[in-house]
Amino acid sequence: MKKTWLIYALGGGWGHLTRALSLGRIAAQFRTVKIITNSPYAQHVSHEGCLLHWIPDNAGFSATCIKVREILLNTHYDCLIVDTFPRGLGGELADILPQLHSIPRILIHRDINPNYITAKNLRNFVVKNFDTVIVPGEGNDLGLCDLPGVHYTTPWLIRNAEELPERNTTRSHILRVDKSVKIILVCAAGQASELDIFSQITLRLHQDFPECAVRILAPHCPVNCPETLWVSHHPGIECLAAADVVIGGGGYNTVYECASVGVPLVALAFARLYDRQEKRASKSYYVPDIEQAIATVRILLDQVKTAQKQSASAYINGAVQAMYQIMSYKL
């Protein structure tokens, strides 16, 4: 009988769910993979062979914590993998994890605000409650990287390089653009409240760059945005790989997906309670506002060759590395 991995991936946008699916879909070949998520997009994407415990995003804090407790204490699993938040998104894991000492626990250590680490005494908490820590491509300067038993991978991606569709196929069939036209893709992968900002950017780009095809990648068509400019497609990395320039936030998936497929990202940093988007956005073309974003796009378009490459660059998917790392513990 297959062993079961349970992945805790609570978070309000695409990021935590996509990262969990990146690992889960690879591991699902060998393990039963269950994911706890409260992403509002969970019902609109492929579950990639994983089983989802979906907690509605409007359930409320108390109801969400109760449901997490119920799942963790009443579900069979051989390994618990916690994404980003050692104590849980709302602190609900703090009194549960000490009860799970018979179950191996692994923390996925994405970059988080060091003030949060200090305020919640996360260093001691992680040492006491986790057996190992995996850093998914975020560098070695994070707050918990000097703890014992830390392992590093390249960024986790929901598609391996060889799985990406041919570039011109994506351009014509998904983005609906002729192969000779340059594509500016607005990646609206952040919180729902930020969709209006990305819509404004899309309309401005459409006006300022009439020679280009402008598309906005979003789960829903923004208000006041023509449907001809809107694309809904998951996983988004397939669209990013076909673009010439991308504008998006400084979230984990947007930054590392663009870097992996070799497409320049003009990144805005949005405020988050725990995530430091500005730090991550600095790995790309970080801009402080829409005007600078437009100016940077203009510069980058001038650098894009007319005869673009036909496929994305090869890259190593850290999710595969992480799967083998976890399986090496006989889990």
Side-chain angles (χ1 to χ4, degrees), residues 274-309:
Y274 303 110
D275 193 18
R276 295 187 292 174
Q277 284 207 0
E278 185 172 340
K279 179 177 184 290
R280 192 180 298 111
S282 66
K283 300 172 188 275
S284 56
Y285 294 91
Y286 168 58
V287 292
D289 53 43
I290 293 178
E291 291 304 320
Q292 285 296 314
I294 300 297
T296 304
V297 167
R298 192 176 303 279
I299 293 171
L300 291 173
L301 283 174
D302 289 340
Q303 299 173 359
V304 173
K305 296 180 180 178
T306 303
Q308 267 284 10
K309 58 189 177 183

Side-chain angles (χ1 to χ4, degrees), residues 27-307:
Q29 303 172 68
F30 312 100
R31 301 288 186 265
T32 298
V33 179
K34 301 177 181 179
I35 299 173
I36 308 175
T37 179
N38 65 337
S39 170
Y41 309 118
Q43 304 303 304
H44 305 287
V45 302
S46 168
H47 295 175
E48 303 283 349
C50 302
L51 304 173
L52 262 59
H53 290 286
W54 182 57
I55 303 173
D57 54 297
N58 61 356
F61 177 78
S62 296
T64 298
C65 290
I66 290 171
K67 186 61 178 177
V68 168
R69 174 183 292 274
E70 176 186 312
I71 294 170
L72 288 179
L73 297 179
N74 297 290
T75 300
H76 168 75
Y77 48 97
D78 301 286
C79 173
L80 175 64
I81 301 166
V82 176
D83 180 75
T84 304
F85 305 113
R87 301 175 73 257
L89 183 61
E92 74 278 10
L93 300 185
D95 64 338
I96 298 177
L97 291 181
Q99 302 178 49
L100 304 177
H101 277 303
S102 61
I103 297 172
R105 286 140 291 140
I106 297 168
L107 174 66
I108 307 307
H109 182 27
R110 192 208 69 193
D111 183 40
I112 50 178
N113 194 313
N115 294 332
Y116 170 61
I117 292 176
T118 300
K120 298 299 182 180
N121 194 21
L122 292 187
R123 295 175 60 81
N124 287 336
F125 183 83
V126 170
V127 169
K128 291 179 180 178
N129 291 285
F130 288 90
D131 299 288
T132 194
V133 176
I134 297 177
V135 180
E138 290 266 71
N140 58 6
D141 61 343
L142 310 187
L144 304 177
C145 280
D146 61 338
L147 295 180
V150 175
H151 301 276
Y152 299 89
T153 71
T154 56
W156 295 11
L157 304 163
I158 199 165
R159 289 292 180 266
N160 297 335
E162 67 275 10
E163 294 176 308
L164 293 176
E166 195 272 333
R167 189 172 186 270
N168 284 335
T169 300
T170 301
R171 289 172 63 95
S172 60
H173 289 80
I174 298 175
L175 299 177
R176 308 179 303 278
V177 176
D178 183 83
K179 65 180 181 180
S180 63
V181 179
K182 293 178 181 178
I183 296 176
I184 307 171
L185 183 65
V186 179
C187 183
Q191 298 177 356
S193 60
E194 294 156 359
L195 189 58
D196 183 61
I197 296 174
F198 286 120
S199 178
Q200 293 177 40
I201 293 173
T202 302
L203 294 173
R204 175 71 183 277
L205 290 167
H206 184 57
Q207 172 186 310
D208 289 7
F209 300 94
E211 75 282 6
C212 297
V214 177
R215 297 289 184 268
I216 180 168
L217 178 65
H220 308 290
C221 185
V223 177
N224 300 324
C225 185
E227 287 200 13
T228 53
L229 304 184
W230 170 55
V231 174
S232 179
H233 181 80
H234 191 271
I237 190 174
E238 296 179 352
C239 295
L240 300 181
D244 294 291
V245 177
V246 173
I247 295 183
Y252 179 95
N253 293 295
T254 303
V255 169
Y256 293 120
E257 286 177 359
C258 285
S260 295
V261 300
V263 175
L265 168 66
V266 180
L268 295 156
F270 292 94
R272 294 289 186 268
L273 185 59
Y274 303 110
D275 193 18
R276 295 187 292 174
Q277 284 207 0
E278 185 172 340
K279 179 177 184 290
R280 192 180 298 111
S282 66
K283 300 172 188 275
S284 56
Y285 294 91
Y286 168 58
V287 292
D289 53 43
I290 293 178
E291 291 304 320
Q292 285 296 314
I294 300 297
T296 304
V297 167
R298 192 176 303 279
I299 293 171
L300 291 173
L301 283 174
D302 289 340
Q303 299 173 359
V304 173
K305 296 180 180 178
T306 303

